[in-house]
Amino acid sequence: MANTTSAKKATRKIARRTIVNKSRRTQMRGAVRTVEAAIKSGDREAALKAMKLAEPELMKAAQRNLVHKNLASRKVSRLVHQIAKLAQ
């Protein structure tokens, strides 16, 4: 348990940031799931639309250190590749 005043404040601060970060992470994951669902259904147009929303979400999450920047880039790359395969 925190003893000093600054440690108590830090604990409160961390709790507030955790709530914000969880919300942002959930939003990002939801956007990715939407793209994956569109890909699975084979709907290229819906997948492209969803990807247009998901890519900025992923990159913002990487900028805010919610996920590693390489993870965000890798996810975007793989999703775009899967969408490209739908065109064939």
Side-chain angles (χ1 to χ4, degrees):
M1 187 64 201
N3 291 324
T4 63
T5 310
S6 60
K8 288 176 183 176
K9 180 180 177 181
T11 303
R12 291 193 306 269
K13 218 168 153 183
I14 290 165
R16 283 194 303 266
R17 295 307 308 161
T18 299
I19 293 166
V20 172
N21 288 340
K22 276 188 179 181
S23 172
R24 286 180 176 160
R25 195 176 294 119
T26 301
Q27 196 171 354
M28 177 202 68
R29 287 178 179 158
V32 170
R33 278 193 207 106
T34 307
V35 177
E36 289 171 342
I39 290 169
K40 199 169 190 175
S41 69
D43 188 356
R44 186 170 185 271
E45 290 303 313
L48 284 170
K49 245 182 209 179
M51 189 62 200
K52 207 170 258 193
L53 298 173
E55 185 175 0
E57 286 288 332
L58 277 161
M59 290 306 155
K60 278 183 203 168
Q63 278 183 330
R64 293 172 172 147
N65 289 322
L66 297 176
V67 294
H68 196 276
K69 65 177 184 167
N70 290 353
L71 181 140
S73 291
R74 187 174 64 238
K75 273 198 181 294
V76 168
S77 175
R78 287 179 180 175
L79 289 171
V80 168
H81 184 70
Q82 287 175 335
I83 293 170
K85 281 172 64 176
L86 287 178
Q88 298 170 352

